[in-house]
Amino acid sequence: KQNILIFVRNVWYFITKYREQHEKKVIHSIKFGTSLVLVSLLYLLDPLFKHVGESVVWALMTVVLIYDFFAGATLSKGLLRGIGTILGGGSGCLVALLAEDFGKNGYTAVIGTSVFVSGAVATYCRMIPSIKRKYDYGIMIFILTFSLVAVAGLRADKILELARQRLVTIGMGIAVCIITNLLIFPMWAGDELHTLTSLRFNKLASCIEECMEAYSSVRDNKGHLSININGCKSVLNSKSNDESLANFARWEPWHGKYGFSYPWDKYLQIGELLREVTSMIMPLQACITAPLQTSTTVHQPIKETCIKAGLSLGLTMRELGDSILNMRRVKEKVLIFPELQSIKLELTILPNLELQATENVEALAIANMLFILIEIVAKVKVLAKEVGELGEIADFESK
Amino acid sequence: KQNILIFVRNVWYFITKYREQHEKKVIHSIKFGTSLVLVSLLYLLDPLFKHVGESVVWALMTVVLIYDFFAGATLSKGLLRGIGTILGGGSGCLVALLAEDFGKNGYTAVIGTSVFVSGAVATYCRMIPSIKRKYDYGIMIFILTFSLVAVAGLRADKILELARQRLVTIGMGIAVCIITNLLIFPMWAGDELHTLTSLRFNKLASCIEECMEAYSSVRDNKGHLSININGCKSVLNSKSNDESLANFARWEPWHGKYGFSYPWDKYLQIGELLREVTSMIMPLQACITAPLQTSTTVHQPIKETCIKAGLSLGLTMRELGDSILNMRRVKEKVLIFPELQSIKLELTILPNLELQATENVEALAIANMLFILIEIVAKVKVLAKEVGELGEIADFESK
């Protein structure tokens, strides 16, 4: 009966999650379409067109290039685009003006050289990981604008007028993007990171509980022993996604529950710890489903303690996840640690009583499981401490 | 003394690796600068400029946007850009021609609607993971070109002439990129994936050997027991990088040792298995460095067998890695399997003889180590099979 309940809960979770994701994607698509139309109107309506002229293509291009799902991503790309354009355009103008003194052929040579050097240096910078992570887009725009302006300087009669028009239209494009993206149903990368992190605690809790359930029913039904480890694997592969979310989240202004300088780095640390816990849960599953486990017969005390430990770990993980999700301090902090401690003690004392009685292959599997559980308990303690610190830094409610 | 040797080897490896990476980056930067200058010449030199006109900005933009470090990435972006431009431009022209029948206001309405719909649909498609992975860039270019052409249709007198000029310049940009990127010191994503995968075998082999070394010196020196797990962690986080490399590698034409339809997917499968092996090595390290291990005293037979197993695993891993790196069939295939098998047998028999004699906390740690070693042996067997299959599919030398 409990299995059915869990199954129904999972299906329900899946549906709501899918609808939610779906809904967000549809909203994002509509928002993008809207900003594209708003910018197109600059071109389509005569009174607006008079002010900006042909440069309006730059506004369209800006919208297509910088519009992103997350508010933080759009904001950072918009700002980098603005800064890159101004710097690139400014230095392009300077080089073009300087080069004019060298005559026709000299001009070509100077511009060619400067384009080559700036392109090569900027590309090299783009390959340095720490710069790439933060300023990749800005540098690309810098090279683009610089070479466009420097190269076009020769043939443009009114270079300053052209530059002004382009800057204005790019600014308009950025403004449209930021307004539609941040003011209409904004999708915050910070929210996503926050929810994902807290959901991962639940995923791991389910994994541990599932393992223990499989272990307790190990004699009853052999075919049943397939533990779903996809949840765990997705946690293991979460690093790059987390990092980009945290990167965007840092750009997001004050919104909802998060103040300025919200400690997003702490989420990355917690994510790292979660991956470490996961890398301990994977062998736990391996050990329960291993063929060595086949001849499990009695050792009721070990089984009971293991199951108790699993349930307790699951509870603690859920508690920590809820604490993050609802942004309140870890409840009954005093209660969690001693409980984990006593389980650890129980686990370490157990083998003395029981292991001698069992056969050697089983003994291995059982001992392994006990050891891994102890390790997981230790990791979860570190995790609880880290979540507690997050609560302090981010000033969670202490109810 | 052996430690110094390992240290020197690591430093040397680091320097050569760094210089190699460095060199590639410098070459890439120079290549990029060169193609930027080549395209700029279209604008700077009068005879060339007459043919293409102002549209030359599109060539510059093409170079900046599609030039990438890997040949496969540049090729795929170039082709997607070409296809996206043609499709987007074509449908943009169609819509603009159809809309002309509706009068001035009708035109604005029709164009606005079509831009909105196409923008929203294309953005939605870009968020579907399987499409995003392969065609993201092409769809972006499609939206951009479609809206530019549809919107500009109203005011451009000679829309076909404009379209022709742009297509020609974009084609030139793509041609310059592909020529400089593929013909001058090309960096193949396939090569990178190939080398990275085989190096990972060595990394894991070093990890296992280091663990065993630490285990064998466990009594001599307590402070020494810090095992460097960064190599392992980098393997664990390799998934997304591998996937993008494989994605680029599929676009790369026949080159060097790789024929057409080289089985890059197999590399992803091997990568997945390597990550699974790594997730077993991590707890091995945890168990060796755990405080439980402190009171290790005698059990020489267990120690010897473990160390033998570790060395044997390390050798096998290196052998597999070399097999991939040098593209020859796994050497002495018959020899590897029986050896691993006998070790497995030895490991399973051991606890019977020894475990009873030891104290309970140690017993846990030792049993755990044995169990994990058995699991790793099983995984490595699967891995060896997979590498063997790769050798067959990719037709490695069978010398």
Side-chain angles (χ1 to χ4, degrees):
Chain A
K1 195 173 174 192
Q2 211 185 345
N3 280 338
I4 296 177
L5 260 174
I6 289 174
F7 178 75
V8 169
R9 205 214 300 155
N10 282 348
V11 168
W12 178 244
Y13 171 76
F14 185 76
I15 290 177
T16 46
K17 186 76 195 161
Y18 184 79
R19 230 201 65 192
E20 198 177 87
Q21 284 288 65
H22 207 67
E23 208 175 294
K24 277 187 184 167
K25 285 181 184 171
V26 170
I27 291 176
H28 170 64
S29 305
I30 292 174
K31 276 158 67 182
F32 176 75
T34 311
S35 18
L36 211 54
V37 169
L38 283 178
V39 166
S40 304
L41 288 182
L42 287 179
Y43 208 100
L44 292 170
L45 301 179
D46 286 329
L48 292 173
F49 183 73
K50 259 182 272 170
H51 286 288
V52 288
E54 291 288 338
S55 313
V56 82
V57 294
W58 294 96
L60 268 176
M61 207 174 297
T62 306
V63 170
V64 173
L65 288 180
I66 77 173
Y67 212 89
D68 202 292
F69 190 76
F70 291 114
T74 308
L75 201 60
S76 70
K77 281 188 183 174
L79 291 179
L80 286 175
R81 167 138 207 156
I83 295 168
T85 307
I86 291 171
L87 287 182
S91 40
C93 278
L94 267 182
V95 169
L97 288 174
L98 286 175
E100 267 176 8
D101 299 339
F102 290 88
K104 185 87 176 65
N105 285 333
Y107 184 87
T108 308
V110 170
I111 295 291
T113 316
S114 67
V115 165
F116 176 80
V117 170
S118 68
V121 170
T123 306
Y124 191 82
C125 290
R126 279 178 82 187
M127 285 183 293
I128 299 167
S130 57
I131 293 183
K132 182 182 174 62
R133 206 165 44 236
K134 288 187 180 167
Y135 308 112
D136 187 46
Y137 190 74
I139 295 177
M140 193 182 82
I141 296 296
F142 173 84
I143 313 175
L144 182 59
T145 319
F146 176 81
S147 39
L148 277 180
V149 171
V151 165
L154 180 62
R155 307 202 184 260
D157 310 322
K158 311 170 277 183
I159 189 166
L160 284 179
E161 172 61 19
L162 203 72
R164 195 194 61 82
Q165 272 192 355
R166 280 196 192 163
L167 265 182
V168 168
T169 45
I170 289 177
M172 280 177 182
I174 295 175
V176 166
C177 282
I178 289 180
I179 288 171
T180 54
N181 201 312
L182 264 75
L183 298 188
I184 310 170
F185 294 110
M187 326 278 187
W188 304 106
D191 263 345
E192 181 85 7
L193 181 60
H194 184 81
T195 320
L196 273 184
T197 305
S198 69
L199 277 183
R200 248 170 238 154
F201 280 90
N202 287 1
K203 260 187 200 166
L204 294 190
S206 309
C207 265
I208 297 175
E209 285 163 3
E210 223 173 302
C211 280
M212 286 306 133
E213 210 170 308
Y215 182 61
S216 71
S217 65
V218 80
R219 268 182 314 165
D220 311 343
N221 188 349
K222 266 321 289 170
H224 189 62
L225 261 188
S226 68
I227 300 168
N228 184 11
I229 60 169
N230 287 334
C232 273
K233 277 203 176 163
S234 75
V235 175
L236 266 189
N237 291 322
S238 59
K239 190 183 168 84
S240 60
N241 188 35
D242 274 15
E243 275 177 0
S244 74
L245 283 177
N247 208 5
F248 297 147
R250 282 193 207 101
W251 284 90
E252 286 170 358
W254 181 86
H255 67 273
K257 313 161 273 192
Y258 320 109
F260 281 109
S261 69
Y262 190 78
W264 296 116
D265 286 327
K266 207 75 190 168
Y267 281 85
L268 291 183
Q269 284 169 31
I270 290 177
E272 191 65 43
L273 278 172
L274 280 174
R275 279 190 287 280
E276 276 174 26
V277 172
T278 316
S279 74
M280 301 304 297
I281 294 179
M282 303 275 281
L284 185 65
Q285 292 170 322
C287 127
I288 287 174
T289 52
L292 290 186
Q293 200 76 10
T294 44
S295 51
T296 317
T297 38
V298 258
H299 32 268
Q300 206 56 33
I302 292 188
K303 206 180 240 183
E304 269 169 22
T305 315
C306 280
I307 291 167
K308 206 173 118 197
L311 285 177
S312 187
L313 275 173
L315 270 179
T316 310
M317 290 294 275
R318 280 184 207 285
E319 176 66 31
L320 291 175
D322 284 353
S323 150
I324 292 183
L325 188 65
N326 304 320
M327 301 188 88
R328 48 171 178 62
R329 298 283 169 97
V330 184
K331 205 162 60 185
E332 296 146 278
K333 202 173 175 179
V334 276
L335 216 150
I336 292 167
F337 281 8
E339 195 174 336
L340 285 185
Q341 204 58 53
S342 76
I343 286 170
K344 193 171 166 179
L345 216 71
E346 242 174 288
L347 287 174
T348 14
I349 295 169
L350 262 182
N352 200 19
L353 311 166
E354 293 294 324
L355 272 189
Q356 275 92 348
T358 54
E359 285 168 44
N360 67 60
V361 202
E362 287 169 52
L364 267 189
I366 295 165
N368 181 47
M369 201 166 103
L370 292 177
F371 185 85
I372 294 176
L373 276 175
I374 293 173
E375 286 286 313
I376 294 180
V377 168
K379 289 267 181 218
V380 169
K381 263 181 76 178
V382 180
L383 201 53
K385 206 177 127 233
E386 202 74 16
V387 174
E389 273 178 32
L390 171 68
E392 275 168 39
I393 301 174
D395 209 13
F396 284 177
E397 272 176 61
S398 53
K399 201 195 65 165
Chain B
K1 194 175 173 190
Q2 212 185 345
N3 281 337
I4 296 176
L5 261 174
I6 289 174
F7 178 75
V8 169
R9 203 215 300 155
N10 282 347
V11 167
W12 178 246
Y13 172 77
F14 186 76
I15 290 177
T16 46
K17 186 77 196 162
Y18 184 78
R19 229 201 63 192
E20 197 178 89
Q21 283 288 67
H22 206 67
E23 209 175 291
K24 277 188 184 168
K25 283 182 185 172
V26 170
I27 291 177
H28 170 65
S29 305
I30 292 174
K31 277 160 65 183
F32 176 75
T34 312
S35 20
L36 212 54
V37 168
L38 284 179
V39 166
S40 303
L41 288 182
L42 288 178
Y43 207 99
L44 292 170
L45 300 180
D46 285 328
L48 292 174
F49 183 73
K50 261 182 271 169
H51 286 288
V52 289
E54 291 287 338
S55 312
V56 82
V57 295
W58 294 95
L60 269 176
M61 208 174 297
T62 305
V63 170
V64 173
L65 287 181
I66 78 173
Y67 212 88
D68 202 291
F69 190 76
F70 291 114
T74 309
L75 201 60
S76 70
K77 280 188 184 174
L79 292 179
L80 286 175
R81 167 138 206 154
I83 295 168
T85 307
I86 292 172
L87 287 182
S91 41
C93 278
L94 267 182
V95 169
L97 288 175
L98 284 176
E100 269 177 7
D101 299 338
F102 289 89
K104 185 86 175 62
N105 285 333
Y107 184 86
T108 309
V110 169
I111 296 292
T113 316
S114 67
V115 165
F116 176 81
V117 169
S118 69
V121 169
T123 306
Y124 192 81
C125 289
R126 278 178 82 187
M127 284 183 292
I128 299 168
S130 58
I131 294 183
K132 183 181 174 62
R133 206 165 45 234
K134 290 189 178 165
Y135 307 113
D136 188 46
Y137 189 74
I139 296 177
M140 193 183 83
I141 296 297
F142 173 83
I143 314 175
L144 181 60
T145 319
F146 176 81
S147 40
L148 276 180
V149 172
V151 164
L154 180 62
R155 307 202 183 260
D157 309 322
K158 312 170 276 185
I159 189 167
L160 284 179
E161 173 60 19
L162 203 71
R164 194 194 62 81
Q165 272 191 357
R166 281 199 191 161
L167 265 182
V168 168
T169 45
I170 289 177
M172 280 177 182
I174 294 175
V176 166
C177 282
I178 289 180
I179 289 170
T180 54
N181 202 312
L182 264 75
L183 298 189
I184 310 170
F185 294 110
M187 327 277 187
W188 305 106
D191 263 344
E192 181 85 6
L193 181 59
H194 184 81
T195 320
L196 273 183
T197 304
S198 69
L199 278 182
R200 250 171 236 151
F201 280 91
N202 288 2
K203 260 188 201 166
L204 293 190
S206 309
C207 265
I208 297 175
E209 286 163 2
E210 223 173 301
C211 279
M212 286 308 133
E213 210 170 306
Y215 182 61
S216 71
S217 65
V218 81
R219 270 181 313 165
D220 312 342
N221 188 350
K222 267 320 292 169
H224 189 63
L225 262 188
S226 67
I227 300 168
N228 183 12
I229 59 168
N230 286 335
C232 273
K233 276 202 177 164
S234 75
V235 175
L236 267 190
N237 291 322
S238 58
K239 190 182 169 82
S240 60
N241 188 35
D242 273 15
E243 275 175 1
S244 74
L245 283 178
N247 208 6
F248 296 148
R250 282 193 207 101
W251 284 90
E252 286 170 358
W254 181 86
H255 67 273
K257 314 162 272 193
Y258 319 109
F260 280 110
S261 70
Y262 191 77
W264 297 116
D265 286 326
K266 209 73 191 169
Y267 281 84
L268 292 183
Q269 284 169 32
I270 290 176
E272 191 65 42
L273 279 172
L274 281 174
R275 279 190 289 279
E276 277 174 25
V277 173
T278 317
S279 73
M280 301 304 297
I281 295 178
M282 303 275 280
L284 185 65
Q285 293 169 321
C287 127
I288 288 173
T289 51
L292 290 185
Q293 201 76 12
T294 43
S295 52
T296 318
T297 39
V298 260
H299 33 266
Q300 206 58 32
I302 291 187
K303 207 179 238 184
E304 271 170 20
T305 314
C306 280
I307 290 167
K308 206 174 117 197
L311 285 177
S312 186
L313 277 173
L315 269 180
T316 310
M317 290 293 275
R318 278 185 209 283
E319 175 66 32
L320 292 176
D322 285 353
S323 149
I324 292 182
L325 188 66
N326 304 321
M327 300 188 89
R328 49 171 178 61
R329 299 283 169 100
V330 185
K331 204 161 60 185
E332 296 148 278
K333 201 173 176 181
V334 277
L335 216 150
I336 292 167
F337 280 7
E339 194 173 336
L340 285 185
Q341 204 59 55
S342 77
I343 286 170
K344 194 170 165 183
L345 217 69
E346 243 174 287
L347 287 174
T348 15
I349 295 169
L350 263 183
N352 201 18
L353 311 166
E354 293 293 326
L355 274 189
Q356 274 93 349
T358 54
E359 283 167 46
N360 66 60
V361 202
E362 286 169 54
L364 268 189
I366 296 165
N368 181 46
M369 202 166 103
L370 293 177
F371 185 85
I372 294 176
L373 275 176
I374 294 173
E375 285 285 312
I376 293 180
V377 168
K379 289 267 181 218
V380 169
K381 263 180 75 179
V382 180
L383 201 52
K385 207 177 126 229
E386 202 73 15
V387 174
E389 273 177 32
L390 171 68
E392 276 169 37
I393 300 174
D395 210 14
F396 285 177
E397 271 176 63
S398 53
K399 199 194 67 165

